[in-house]
Amino acid sequence: MRTIFLLFFLLQVSLVTRAQKLRVAVAGITHGHVGWILGRADKGDIELCGIYEPDTALAKSYAKRYGFSEQLLYHQLPTMLDAVKPEAVLGFGSVFSHLQVVEACAPRGIHVMVEKPLAVSLEHALKMEKLARQHGIHLLTNYETSWYPSVAKTFQLCLDSGYAGNIRKVVIHDGHQGPKEIGCSPEFLAWLTDPAGNGGGALVDFGCYGANLMTHLMQGRKPLSVTAITRQFKPQVYPKVDDDATIVVDYGHAQCIIQASWNWPFSRKDMEVYGDKGFVFAPDKNTLLLRNNEKMAAARRQVTAADIPVYEDPFRYLHDVVRGKITVPAGGLYELSNNVMVVRILEAAKTSARTGKTVKL
């Protein structure tokens, strides 16, 4: 009798867990980050119910690589959405494809999370924003740096505690040795190194991180101007796009220098925030260097998610947003208005680099 009761109890728990899972579909698999969801262990929060990819051979190869059923595969996005009725869709195609995903999902009331940046151009971004607000869906943008405890702690120290005083200068470095050099897949490289698919090269691929972080530090304020210089240090490898960019975003009272490159000798995502009283330096996801005293050396601190609340899993974040367990904060790193501003800054940077002039906003 006890065995029957235990089996019944476990069945009920399983049904409850399944009911609580967020039904998620994937739109496009050519982004190198798609492994984050296809290879994600079952944590009881996400149910992968469909995968859209127009390249049949590529889709079948990914099914074999990640061990999912080919029955999940669809070659038309609307067909998949109507067949599996996901609650949310993850965009893992080109940046150019993000608009197509939102155009298909928003009228159906399906929430969307895309990989950074939000859109390939400001025109696309504004269309996506209008659709999301018109149909009342969440439209989130995922950046790896949003998961970092050191980033969350930097914001707390600078915005809540005033540790560094008034922010005057922020320097942000992002990038790696280059997408080809680090072994990105051919299907990823095909659009990542094409201005039509990505919107640019390193300027877009890694400049978006700095624009996203600075927009949050400035609490959503529009900058006064953007100045940028781009270079092609490896035209034989990346003939169509820049592989190095320096972007200066000016707010009058503060300035952000974004250095985005496919030419670093190693991978990096770090941020330095300087105020009139001190500085906060986040060299990696778990380390901070702090100093606000003339006579003291910088103090090194290790920070984890146990020290400050931060979602280290973007798909858990999506689950909790859609389920209403948390509210996306205004101007937050995933939030729509922040990421429209990011695209606005990137577009101004591309114009500045092309014309050699500062772009006023």
Side-chain angles (χ1 to χ4, degrees), residues 4-21 42-45:
I4 294 174
F5 177 79
L6 178 59
L7 290 173
F8 177 77
F9 174 76
L10 291 174
L11 176 61
Q12 295 302 307
V13 170
S14 176
L15 290 173
V16 170
T17 301
R18 183 176 176 83
Q20 291 176 339
K21 285 186 175 183
D42 186 0
K43 301 179 182 181
D45 54 355

Side-chain angles (χ1 to χ4, degrees), residues 77-345:
L77 181 57
T79 302
M80 179 188 73
L81 298 178
D82 294 337
V84 304
K85 294 181 170 50
E87 298 173 84
V89 164
L90 302 170
F92 281 104
S94 69
V95 182
F96 185 87
S97 72
H98 291 175
L99 174 59
Q100 175 198 19
V101 173
V102 175
E103 286 177 332
C105 291
R108 291 173 168 85
I110 300 170
H111 306 288
V112 177
M113 175 185 277
V114 298
E115 287 303 293
K116 57 78 188 172
L118 172 67
V120 76
S121 67
L122 184 59
E123 179 186 6
H124 276 209
L126 294 176
K127 287 180 179 179
M128 293 163 68
E129 180 184 38
K130 182 178 179 180
L131 284 165
R133 300 203 187 284
Q134 178 183 349
H135 296 284
I137 67 163
H138 293 291
L139 176 50
L140 308 176
T141 306
N142 179 37
Y143 299 79
E144 183 184 341
T145 42
S146 301
W147 322 340
Y148 288 6
S150 63
V151 167
K153 189 64 179 178
T154 297
F155 290 148
Q156 183 191 68
L157 287 169
C158 294
L159 297 178
D160 298 338
S161 304
Y163 176 87
N166 296 310
I167 296 173
R168 294 293 184 239
K169 190 180 295 290
V170 180
V171 184
I172 301 173
H173 308 95
D174 287 290
H176 47 48
Q177 300 93 320
K180 186 172 183 179
E181 288 82 350
I182 67 170
C184 288
S185 66
E187 61 270 15
F188 190 16
L189 285 172
W191 63 260
L192 184 62
T193 61
D194 185 336
N198 188 49
L203 183 151
V204 173
D205 189 30
F206 284 112
C208 63
Y209 284 98
N212 176 244
L213 295 168
M214 189 61 178
T215 296
H216 184 68
L217 279 170
M218 294 291 101
Q219 299 177 297
R221 288 195 291 274
K222 183 189 295 186
L224 299 178
S225 67
V226 177
T227 309
I229 298 173
T230 58
R231 290 288 182 266
Q232 281 185 304
F233 290 120
K234 295 178 282 193
Q236 70 283 4
V237 182
Y238 307 111
K240 298 180 181 179
V241 293
D242 64 277
D243 55 53
D244 191 271
T246 299
I247 307 167
V248 179
V249 189
D250 181 48
Y251 292 83
H253 67 288
Q255 182 185 80
C256 182
I257 302 168
I258 301 168
Q259 298 190 37
S261 183
W262 290 345
N263 290 287
W264 296 117
F266 46 79
S267 296
R268 65 185 306 185
K269 290 185 175 71
D270 56 78
M271 171 171 58
E272 307 164 27
V273 182
Y274 299 89
D276 55 7
K277 294 181 180 178
F279 83 87
V280 179
F281 175 31
D284 58 53
K285 67 178 182 178
N286 292 119
T287 306
L288 286 180
L289 293 174
L290 307 172
R291 182 176 179 181
N292 66 356
N293 187 305
E294 180 69 29
K295 297 180 181 180
M296 294 177 63
R300 178 180 291 268
R301 289 179 57 181
Q302 292 302 115
V303 185
T304 70
D307 303 309
I308 186 165
V310 61
Y311 280 81
E312 295 183 288
D313 183 333
F315 311 116
R316 184 66 193 184
Y317 182 84
L318 174 65
H319 171 279
D320 287 359
V321 167
V322 175
R323 288 284 178 263
K325 294 184 177 181
I326 58 171
T327 300
V328 180
L333 297 178
Y334 293 88
E335 191 259 344
L336 182 54
S337 64
N338 177 309
N339 284 288
V340 172
M341 185 63 71
V342 168
V343 179
R344 196 179 295 276
I345 291 170

